[in-house]
Amino acid sequence: MGTVISQVTTVDVELRINATTRQLALDPRTTLLDALREHLDLTGTKKGCDHGQCGACTVHVNGRRVLSCLTLAVAAQGKDITTIEGVADGDQLHPMQQAFLDHDGFQCGYCTSGQIMSALALLREPCGASDDEVRECMSGNLCRCGAYSNIIAAIQDVRATHAHEA
Amino acid sequence: MTSPNEPRTTGAVGAPINRVDGRLKVTGAARYSAEIPVDDLAYGVIVQSTIARGTIDRIDAGEAEQLPGVIAVMTPRNAPKLESLQKFEREGSKGSRPTGRALSLLQNDSVHYNGQPIALVIAESIEVAMHAASLVRTTYRVDQPTIDMATALPSAYPSTEKIYGREPPATQRGDLQAGLAAADVRLDVVYTTPMETHNPMEMHATIAAWDGDKLTLWDATQNVHGVRGTIAKTLSIPPEQVRVISHFIGGAFGGKGSAWSHVVLAALAAREVRRPVKLVLTRRQMFGPVGGRPHTVQHVTLGAARDGTLTALRHDSTSSTSTIEEWVEAATLATRILYDCPNEETSHRLVRLNVGTPTFMRAPGEASGMFALESALDELSYELRMDPIALRLKNYAEADPESGKPWSSKSLRQCYALGAERFGWARRTAEPRSMRDGDQLVGLGMATATYPVRRMPASADACIYPDGRAVIKAGSHDLGTGTYTILTQLAADALGIPLGCIRVELGDTDLPQNPISAGSMTVASTGSAVHLAAMAAREKLIQLAVTDPRSPLHVAQHGAVEIAGGRLTLHGDVDRGESIEELLARNGGQPIEGRADAKPGDETQVYSMHAFGSIFAELRVDPDLGTVRVGRLVGAYAAGRILNPKTARSQLMGGITFGMGMALMEHTITDLRSGRYVNADIAEYHIPVHADVPGIEVFFVDEHDEHVDPIGAKGLGEIGMTGVAAAIANAVFHATGVRVRDLPITLDKLL
């Protein structure tokens, strides 16, 4: 506990990400988002604001959606973290990923990881059936390209046909 | 485009295929600029000014430099002096500015806006760099800034430079005063639009790495070749020593079209600390240093005969720029071409404010200008008690009214008709406050959409390999626009090779030169180059077959050879032929390469080229609270050939959504005393979220245009945005009887 790299004090952190345990020495101020992106090369999780306002950094912690930019890495220890890289089954896309592809639920792709992680969490949340209710549940995930209508279509498609796989 | 071997389409173009880069994006595997793994990386964080105008008196980086993990702090005291800028200043700022835009590169102590970069911290980690940036202490000699557009308006001066180096800053046709005198009805109103900020989801980001005297920039840019040129000039090094890479861009919307200060600062820092430097702007830093849409104050004067015929139209737009650079929001360009009015004047003026320099933002000019023009037409329709569509049809321009040139194609009539039908315009009762849903006021409004067709020189390579696969290379970009996908489709049809066997490479200055991906011109520019390069490769392949005595196609008529599914066959005799692999294997196993350096011809001399559309909005306003809920947005567009209906529809939906934000939410607020950007984050700068966005319906009017470019496509990036703010403002008036001429339409303006 407590080593010094270039005179910066670090703490040892153990994170379980996508069912793999990773050991890190981190500045204690490191967010889970920066741990993923800058220390683990898991860049699928995006930084869009660093303030919990855009949803691009959404990951699952113990199965629930969490903003990784507002989560310190040290506080995520001992929990199961899932990122976008852990969603597909090898080469087999998750039905939600396939639905985003088929419905063109993205353009630039930068909010997409967060949208998909929120959409997957939503499948297990008490969200109503209507498009409007899904829109409400997804409103923490901003998309500047304006793919919203297609994202809702993708989610509703999955809810209708793959609910059992959630 | 005529060619003896014009491919009988194999059906790739026009098919609604999924994005070819989609799998990378839904799995998180697509790498954006800040995500490139580079060894020995240091992190840069910009320190910004906290005053809007003045001089840095003292900048103390001592405490920051002492912080463990800090490598260097660059300030105006120690930053390397740039010979290119010193020469520019010495010569009295004549000639072209080496940096392109007026940048803040720590060359002097002047402060021109609040948030200007004044120092750069380089550290071992983001955490340390951010902490150190907060420890840089600066004192200033403060001068009185000019912040408020309203009070600064009397200082407006006419813009005299050609807009985009092409369009005159002011125009006049006919006799405006005579037209006004002859009018039965006159309208004289002022519309205002606020500063707006692009806010792509990906912040601007640059990784700069030197290898000797060679620089590589992984930069979030929609203009790799442009950034290379700017960096080379600024650093006084040959362009060949600069490589710029931008494979995936997390949205751009015009803001990533220029090399802004942070790009140069990253390169300078990396050279100073002899390590690669990653510099990612914070969301707050996206407000000011990297452009935005300026304020506009637009004065519109209309005169019309009782039957709706326009007799006079004047549109003067004053937009804000910075104190360090002139940038004009070209708000009246659409006015010049949209209606057949014989007496018309347009002009642009500028007001200098102590704010960051504005820049292109989605449909620059058209988005703000058409809010004014298309609102004014709606106001006139009420004065005349005339249907808004009928009024527009009454003044339909059969040829470009400014130049007199014929349109290369124009299907706006069909767009009005299709949009009105799909929207259900006929159910609208014209009287304001005449339609209700329970206690909610219902409003229906419409507007015209238009955007010019632009095209610039572009080059591409098409290479067919002996394994039957092909690679397309072009230094263009995919901003989420679908460039990878539609270029794959164009190449598939031209080469006769299946989609899955084609790879498109973009976003690298090592690839053939291409223009900025902006102004809705990527399809016309790069798309044409790729089509022509692939056609050139196809010609070579066919030539090889018909001259090869061992080929089943030997001595076949050149024009009778078809290629489909990777197989060359004789027209009408599909059994006679061979695969590309067989042909190339027999002929030395070498790749076949086609190159095209495509550029516009004289079509712009002959034709006026624009895309057109119609946009309809239905919304509900709570009469007690003033809240506006948009229920439906329906757009109908004619934009030439639609290469991929799926991505095309998405792009138009995105433009419409962006326009909805402009209408109802977006407003970059500056504190009028300090010039500080008050709402510099995406919780306080409102953009549409899921719950705001209703069903958006997009329809295409079939349009064939053989003049615009070799592929007949007009571009879709901006047109979806145009007219939306007016359609919503017009619907708000219809619902409430309140005419809001000042964007955004927030509830306080309706109470």
Side-chain angles (χ1 to χ4, degrees):
Chain A
M1 180 80 196
T3 53
V4 172
I5 296 172
S6 301
Q7 299 172 304
V8 178
T9 305
T10 63
V11 293
D12 294 331
V13 176
E14 185 177 295
L15 296 172
R16 226 173 102 72
I17 301 165
N18 302 329
T20 303
T21 300
R22 311 288 293 263
Q23 312 279 348
L24 293 165
L26 296 176
D27 185 315
R29 298 169 292 190
T30 307
T31 62
L32 177 57
L33 175 60
D34 286 332
L36 294 169
R37 288 172 62 82
E38 305 298 336
H39 297 269
L40 295 167
D41 199 30
L42 289 168
T43 55
T45 306
K46 303 304 182 192
K47 182 183 283 191
C49 69
D50 219 16
H51 285 64
Q53 299 172 340
C54 77
C57 69
T58 306
V59 300
H60 293 180
V61 175
N62 289 344
R64 302 177 66 163
R65 48 173 155 167
V66 159
L67 297 172
S68 61
C69 76
L70 294 186
T71 306
L72 288 171
V74 289
Q77 297 186 96
K79 297 171 181 171
D80 280 317
I81 299 158
T82 306
T83 70
I84 189 69
E85 290 91 346
V87 170
D89 181 8
D91 283 342
Q92 185 66 40
L93 293 180
H94 186 283
M96 188 65 79
Q97 292 171 309
Q98 188 63 47
F100 268 64
L101 247 178
D102 294 339
H103 290 275
D104 210 31
F106 55 91
Q107 292 177 39
C108 79
Y110 202 78
C111 75
T112 310
S113 303
Q115 300 278 1
I116 290 173
M117 297 312 287
S118 271
L120 289 170
L122 179 149
L123 298 178
R124 297 186 292 261
E125 294 169 5
C127 175
S130 71
D131 286 359
D132 275 346
E133 285 162 300
V134 176
R135 288 185 181 118
E136 200 63 41
C137 293
M138 289 296 293
S139 279
N141 288 85
L142 305 188
C143 167
R144 188 55 158 161
C145 297
Y148 291 127
S149 304
N150 292 347
I151 292 170
I152 299 302
I155 294 170
Q156 292 291 51
D157 189 357
V158 173
R159 292 177 99 201
T161 56
H162 295 281
H164 59 285
E165 295 173 38
Chain B
M1 176 70 207
T2 52
S3 158
N5 293 98
E6 185 63 24
R8 288 163 186 84
T9 179
T10 52
V13 171
I17 67 163
N18 287 349
R19 283 170 202 267
V20 298
D21 54 342
R23 192 183 178 91
L24 290 175
K25 289 180 174 176
V26 299
T27 56
R31 295 247 178 200
Y32 298 74
S33 294
E35 300 168 353
I36 306 300
V38 175
D39 288 339
D40 198 29
L41 202 57
Y43 292 82
V45 169
I46 283 175
V47 180
Q48 295 171 277
S49 72
T50 55
I51 64 160
R53 182 167 172 241
T55 310
I56 296 169
D57 191 37
R58 188 160 170 275
I59 187 159
D60 178 4
E63 197 180 347
E65 286 166 341
Q66 294 307 308
L67 202 66
V70 169
I71 302 163
V73 181
M74 258 172 39
T75 72
R77 302 287 177 272
N78 63 358
K81 294 298 172 209
L82 292 163
E83 170 56 27
S84 61
L85 277 172
Q86 292 182 342
K87 181 164 178 285
F88 178 69
E89 300 291 336
R90 269 200 312 274
E91 293 173 359
S93 304
K94 293 194 180 67
S96 65
R97 195 193 301 272
T99 52
R101 313 307 301 258
L103 303 183
S104 305
L105 302 177
L106 319 182
Q107 300 295 296
N108 55 54
D109 291 330
S110 301
V111 174
H112 305 284
Y113 65 95
N114 202 319
Q116 175 187 314
I118 55 167
L120 178 68
V121 173
I122 304 112
E124 298 288 345
S125 70
I126 300 177
E127 294 78 20
V128 172
M130 290 184 76
H131 182 198
S134 74
L135 300 176
V136 177
R137 310 286 179 218
T138 311
T139 56
Y140 306 90
R141 290 192 298 279
V142 183
D143 296 322
Q144 182 66 36
T146 306
I147 307 295
D148 186 11
M149 181 73 171
T151 57
L153 206 55
S155 70
Y157 62 96
S159 169
T160 54
E161 297 287 317
K162 280 196 168 181
I163 295 169
Y164 310 138
R166 216 176 27 244
E167 313 288 346
T171 58
Q172 181 181 4
R173 64 178 188 248
D175 183 338
L176 186 80
Q177 293 309 323
L180 282 171
D184 297 319
V185 176
R186 294 174 198 87
L187 186 78
D188 191 40
V189 283
V190 174
Y191 301 90
T192 53
T193 64
M195 295 204 300
E196 296 168 7
T197 303
H198 305 79
N199 280 314
M201 295 312 299
E202 177 204 28
M203 272 90 74
H204 288 240
T206 306
I207 297 174
W210 290 87
D211 179 8
D213 58 4
K214 290 195 165 59
L215 171 66
T216 302
L217 295 168
W218 288 271
D219 185 35
T221 179
Q222 59 197 101
N223 190 8
V224 287
H225 282 95
V227 169
R228 169 160 81 171
T230 299
I231 297 296
K233 272 187 218 156
T234 304
L235 302 184
S236 304
I237 56 176
E240 301 72 44
Q241 285 173 216
V242 183
R243 182 179 179 193
V244 182
I245 300 172
S246 180
H247 289 150
F248 291 100
I249 305 104
F253 312 115
K256 290 173 179 167
S258 308
W260 296 104
S261 304
H262 66 276
V263 185
V264 184
L265 290 175
L268 287 176
R271 196 164 64 182
E272 289 300 298
V273 304
R274 298 172 181 279
R275 282 173 64 174
V277 168
K278 181 193 291 196
L279 205 174
V280 182
L281 297 191
T282 64
R283 180 57 62 181
R284 175 165 285 277
Q285 290 171 341
M286 302 281 282
F287 292 73
V290 291
R293 200 191 301 278
H295 289 282
T296 68
V297 177
Q298 301 179 57
H299 189 170
V300 178
T301 308
L302 290 179
R306 186 52 65 187
D307 70 352
T309 305
L310 286 171
T311 59
L313 171 50
R314 178 172 171 271
H315 189 176
D316 173 71
S317 173
T318 303
S319 58
S320 55
T321 188
S322 69
T323 58
I324 47 176
E325 189 184 338
E326 280 192 356
W327 196 91
V328 178
E329 176 82 355
T332 79
L333 297 191
T335 304
R336 295 173 184 176
I337 62 103
L338 204 45
Y339 296 110
D340 190 16
C341 179
N343 307 303
E344 185 171 312
E345 291 181 11
T346 67
S347 49
H348 295 92
R349 294 186 295 157
L350 286 168
V351 164
R352 293 208 181 248
L353 300 180
N354 288 103
V355 296
T357 305
T359 194
F360 311 91
M361 181 164 158
R362 200 167 195 171
E366 278 77 6
S368 43
M370 290 181 69
F371 162 63
L373 178 67
E374 289 295 293
S375 291
L377 262 286
D378 198 68
E379 297 204 43
L380 183 64
S381 77
Y382 281 94
E383 293 290 326
L384 294 166
R385 298 186 170 276
M386 194 170 176
D387 178 81
I389 299 175
L391 174 61
R392 286 165 172 84
L393 290 173
K394 185 79 186 168
N395 295 285
Y396 196 83
E398 300 290 355
D400 182 333
E402 187 67 28
S403 67
K405 291 175 194 167
W407 306 109
S408 63
S409 61
K410 179 177 181 178
S411 313
L412 179 54
R413 255 195 204 94
Q414 295 89 322
C415 292
Y416 288 138
L418 180 63
E421 181 217 323
R422 296 303 171 103
F423 180 72
W425 182 251
R427 74 200 140 98
R428 176 178 177 269
T429 52
E431 198 63 28
R433 301 178 77 94
S434 65
M435 295 178 73
R436 290 187 184 241
D437 177 10
D439 62 347
Q440 301 286 298
L441 301 168
V442 175
L444 277 58
M446 62 80 58
T448 308
T450 189
Y451 198 77
V453 179
R454 298 212 175 94
R455 185 180 169 201
M456 286 177 71
S459 299
D461 287 338
C463 191
I464 305 167
Y465 288 95
D467 63 357
R469 306 179 77 83
V471 174
I472 302 295
K473 297 182 178 189
S476 185
H477 324 78
D478 192 325
L479 327 170
T481 43
T483 314
Y484 281 113
T485 306
I486 56 103
L487 294 183
T488 304
Q489 291 174 275
L490 284 166
D493 278 358
L495 296 171
I497 291 176
L499 288 163
C501 295
I502 294 169
R503 191 178 81 242
V504 173
E505 295 181 4
L506 300 173
D508 189 335
T509 49
D510 279 0
L511 302 172
Q513 176 122 9
N514 270 260
I516 180 174
S517 290
S520 297
M521 67 183 179
T522 300
V523 161
S525 309
T526 308
S528 296
V530 166
H531 171 76
L532 295 173
M535 288 301 293
R538 173 196 182 90
E539 293 291 310
K540 287 188 184 175
L541 203 60
I542 292 172
Q543 186 62 24
L544 190 63
V546 298
T547 55
D548 177 1
R550 292 163 296 175
S551 170
L553 296 165
H554 182 231
V555 302
Q557 287 289 322
H558 197 105
V561 178
E562 293 177 348
I563 317 179
R567 197 176 148 76
L568 297 89
T569 56
L570 196 65
H571 179 59
D573 182 5
V574 291
D575 292 334
R576 188 174 152 195
E578 62 178 331
S579 70
I580 292 171
E581 292 101 305
E582 289 168 309
L583 174 64
L584 293 188
R586 223 177 32 245
N587 285 276
Q590 293 302 307
I592 298 284
E593 291 178 19
R595 166 85 181 200
D597 299 303
K599 58 177 188 292
D602 60 1
E603 59 273 8
T604 55
Q605 305 302 314
V606 182
Y607 298 103
S608 183
M609 309 194 295
H610 297 259
F612 292 96
S614 65
I615 177 77
F616 294 78
E618 175 177 345
L619 49 79
R620 278 155 181 71
V621 181
D622 187 306
D624 298 319
L625 302 174
T627 48
V628 178
R629 296 286 300 175
V630 178
R632 272 178 90 208
L633 290 164
V634 175
Y637 300 94
R641 191 179 184 195
I642 301 303
L643 303 180
N644 181 331
K646 182 178 280 195
T647 57
R649 176 175 165 273
S650 293
Q651 209 177 5
L652 289 163
M653 282 173 39
I656 293 170
T657 305
F658 221 101
M660 183 188 162
M662 179 183 200
L664 298 173
M665 301 165 197
E666 298 192 33
H667 184 183
T668 304
I669 300 168
T670 43
D671 178 81
L672 296 184
R673 292 155 302 171
S674 68
R676 176 76 69 96
Y677 291 85
V678 174
N679 58 340
D681 60 63
I682 41 180
E684 298 300 325
Y685 182 95
H686 292 176
I687 64 170
V689 305
H690 275 286
D692 297 313
V693 178
I696 296 176
E697 298 157 54
V698 168
F699 301 98
F700 294 106
V701 169
D702 211 17
E703 183 174 71
H704 299 278
D705 190 325
E706 58 191 29
H707 306 300
V708 276
D709 54 59
I711 53 179
K714 288 182 174 178
L716 295 168
E718 341 267 334
I719 190 172
M721 166 109 203
T722 66
V724 179
I728 289 174
N730 297 342
V732 166
F733 177 78
H734 181 237
T736 63
V738 178
R739 177 63 64 179
V740 180
R741 301 193 183 97
D742 176 44
L743 293 182
I745 304 168
T746 44
L747 53 84
D748 52 297
K749 296 172 186 172
L750 298 175
L751 293 176

